[in-house]
């Protein structure tokens, strides 16, 4: 029935980090298609039309292991017939080579290469076609193939991560820029069921995997941060149980009740600005271990570069994803401020 030894798709992926030949098998409930290393489509047998097509990805950054382990457990539950899907799912382990060396990436940040960004410029070695650029192109193609196969009106993509640093809000989600479209109560309630009640609303296009699925395919899509980076086998699984149960329910056709939405249950934040590293001497103006969402008062130092101070523009401006080690031209800090979604939500 299965060519996945011990029902462990993660182990199979890590053993074949760069390529895995396509294959197909099925049981009496599901069809399974391996498209590549770390890419597995699972579809319920017996239905020709579905109300939702789901993409679940993890390991876009190889050292963010908790969601990788969680997705692998969900795949095992399907393979061992503990659960029966009602909706097709594309499972993705994003960057197997970086998973195997326990690093965020090998050459280049994969989550900055989507929306065809992999076609632009060169990496630090002058290479236009490193493995991470090739992987970004392939993952875009796989997502397109999946959504074209299951031409459902409703599509979703949850790209699961863990953060490098501690956070004032341990779990949070990034809601990609959606222009003038309304926010969706259904999606906020799904996040709350996952124990994620802090949401950052992006204000412009990005080059992330979740933004790609949102902008190109119209999917309800999020980057979801479920805690802090830890190695394989070091994660406290109890902290991720609500996320796992919610995703299991979603795959099995059990939806959250969107009528329960109350904005008071959430911390809603919008991006105030993105601070780019423009010079090699860029340095943070605060301790490198300062937690995400730490707030600053107007005029307090955020960073320095090229002899200039970069300071907080308003009271309560909070920092997210600070990283002075990024390459020149990339975002070094995001800042966020409180907001409301009450004027544009369905």
């Amino acid at each position: 029935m299965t060519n996945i030894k011990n029902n462990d798709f993660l182990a199979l992926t890590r053993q074949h980090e760069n390529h895995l030949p396509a294959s197909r098998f099925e049981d009496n409930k599901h069809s399974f298609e391996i498209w590549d290393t770390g890419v597995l489509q699972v579809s319920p047998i017996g239905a020709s039309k579905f109300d939702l097509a789901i993409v679940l990805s993890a390991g876009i950054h190889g050292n963010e292991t908790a969601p990788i382990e969680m997705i692998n457990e969900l795949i095992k539950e399907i393979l061992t017939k503990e659960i029966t899907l009602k909706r097709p799912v594309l499972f993705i382990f994003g960057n197997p080579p970086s998973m195997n060396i326990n690093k965020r990436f090998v050459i280049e940040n994969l989550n900055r290469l989507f929306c065809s960004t992999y076609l632009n410029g060169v990496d630090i070695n002058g290479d236009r076609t490193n493995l991470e650029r090739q992987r970004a192109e392939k993952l875009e193609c796989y997502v397109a193939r999946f959504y074209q196969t299951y031409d459902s009106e409703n599509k979703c993509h949850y790209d699961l991560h863990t953060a490098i640093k501690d956070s004032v809000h341990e779990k949070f989600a990034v809601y990609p820029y959606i222009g003038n479209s309304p926010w969706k109560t259904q999606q906020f309630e799904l996040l709350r069921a996952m124990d994620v009640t802090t949401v950052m609303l992006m204000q412009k296009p990005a080059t992330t995997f979740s933004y790609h699925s949102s902008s190109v395919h119209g999917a309800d899509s999020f980057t979801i941060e479920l805690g802090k980076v830890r190695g394989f086998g070091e994660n406290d699984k109890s902290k991720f149980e609500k996320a796992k149960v919610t995703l299991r329910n979603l795959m099995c056709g059990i939806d959250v009740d969107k009528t329960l939405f109350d904005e008071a249950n959430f911390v809603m934040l919008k991006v105030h600005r993105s601070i780019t590293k423009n010079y090699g001497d860029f340095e943070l103006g605060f301790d490198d271990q300062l937690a995400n969402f730490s707030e600053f008062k107007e005029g307090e130092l955020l960073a320095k570069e090229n002899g200039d101070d970069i300071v907080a523009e308003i009271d309560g401006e909070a920092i997210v994803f600070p990283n002075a080690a990024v390459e020149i031209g990339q975002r070094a800090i995001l800042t966020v401020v409180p907001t409301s979604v009450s004027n544009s939500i369905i």
Side-chain angles (χ1 to χ4, degrees), residues 239-266:
K239 292 186 175 182
F240 307 94
E241 186 63 20
K242 287 185 177 180
K244 182 180 176 182
V245 169
T246 302
L247 295 176
R248 182 197 293 131
N249 287 344
L250 185 72
M251 297 187 301
C252 294
I254 304 170
D255 292 315
V256 297
D257 184 356
K258 68 179 183 180
T259 65
L260 297 176
F261 175 78
D262 181 348
E263 188 170 350
N265 291 326
F266 295 84

Side-chain angles (χ1 to χ4, degrees), residues 52-306:
L52 179 65
I54 304 166
V55 176
L56 297 180
S57 59
I60 295 298
H61 296 135
N63 61 341
E64 299 176 5
T65 62
I68 299 171
E69 293 175 338
M70 182 175 67
I71 284 184
N72 196 50
E73 289 176 359
L74 290 171
I75 294 171
K76 282 184 178 181
E77 290 178 4
I78 302 168
L79 288 166
T80 57
K81 302 183 182 180
E82 293 179 50
I83 60 175
T84 301
L85 299 193
K86 298 296 184 183
R87 292 157 169 166
V89 184
L90 183 65
F91 295 100
I92 295 173
F93 294 139
N95 196 341
S98 70
M99 288 159 48
N100 279 345
I101 61 174
N102 192 34
K103 290 188 176 180
R104 188 172 172 83
F105 51 85
V106 180
I107 299 295
E108 204 166 2
N109 186 345
L110 180 57
N111 213 28
R112 298 290 179 270
L113 294 173
F114 292 98
C115 301
S116 298
T117 307
Y118 53 82
L119 296 172
N120 302 330
V122 296
D123 65 22
I124 58 174
N125 299 318
D127 189 355
R128 293 179 179 273
T129 58
N130 64 49
L131 290 176
E132 270 137 345
R133 289 177 177 235
Q134 294 175 40
R135 185 67 168 174
E137 182 176 16
K138 289 177 181 178
L139 293 183
E140 287 189 358
C141 291
Y142 296 143
V143 169
R145 175 181 169 184
F146 176 71
Y147 285 143
Q148 288 164 8
T149 300
Y150 300 101
D151 187 21
S152 171
E153 179 180 349
N154 298 307
K155 310 175 186 71
C156 66
H157 177 188
Y158 304 117
D159 185 32
L160 309 178
H161 291 251
T162 50
I164 299 172
K165 300 179 183 297
D166 289 321
S167 295
V168 174
H169 310 291
E170 182 183 38
K171 298 180 177 70
F172 59 96
V174 179
Y175 205 139
Y177 175 69
I178 55 174
N180 294 321
S181 300
W183 317 107
K184 295 185 177 180
T185 54
Q186 181 87 25
Q187 296 303 312
F188 285 122
E189 279 307 292
L190 184 136
L191 290 173
R192 189 164 74 94
M194 294 177 69
D195 201 27
V196 178
T197 55
T198 297
V199 185
M200 292 170 48
L201 309 175
M202 302 301 286
Q203 303 298 302
K204 64 179 183 179
T207 59
T208 61
F209 199 13
S210 63
Y211 178 74
H212 169 80
S213 294
S214 174
S215 63
V216 175
H217 300 291
D220 293 312
S221 185
F222 293 86
T223 301
I224 303 177
E225 304 280 354
L226 292 173
K228 188 176 179 181
V229 166
R230 287 180 173 82
F232 284 113
E234 298 176 0
N235 298 290
D236 180 353
K237 293 183 179 181
S238 67
K239 292 186 175 182
F240 307 94
E241 186 63 20
K242 287 185 177 180
K244 182 180 176 182
V245 169
T246 302
L247 295 176
R248 182 197 293 131
N249 287 344
L250 185 72
M251 297 187 301
C252 294
I254 304 170
D255 292 315
V256 297
D257 184 356
K258 68 179 183 180
T259 65
L260 297 176
F261 175 78
D262 181 348
E263 188 170 350
N265 291 326
F266 295 84
V267 176
M268 300 291 189
L269 302 165
K270 68 176 181 180
V271 173
H272 178 66
R273 57 176 165 158
S274 177
I275 298 172
T276 301
K277 177 179 178 177
N278 295 307
Y279 298 92
D281 65 349
F282 182 97
E283 62 180 57
L284 300 175
F286 46 84
D287 189 297
D288 185 56
Q289 297 304 310
L290 188 68
N292 285 317
F293 302 107
S294 294
E295 295 184 1
F296 287 74
K297 294 181 179 179
E298 180 181 353
E300 287 187 328
L301 184 67
L302 298 180
K304 292 182 177 183
E305 70 170 355
N306 196 36

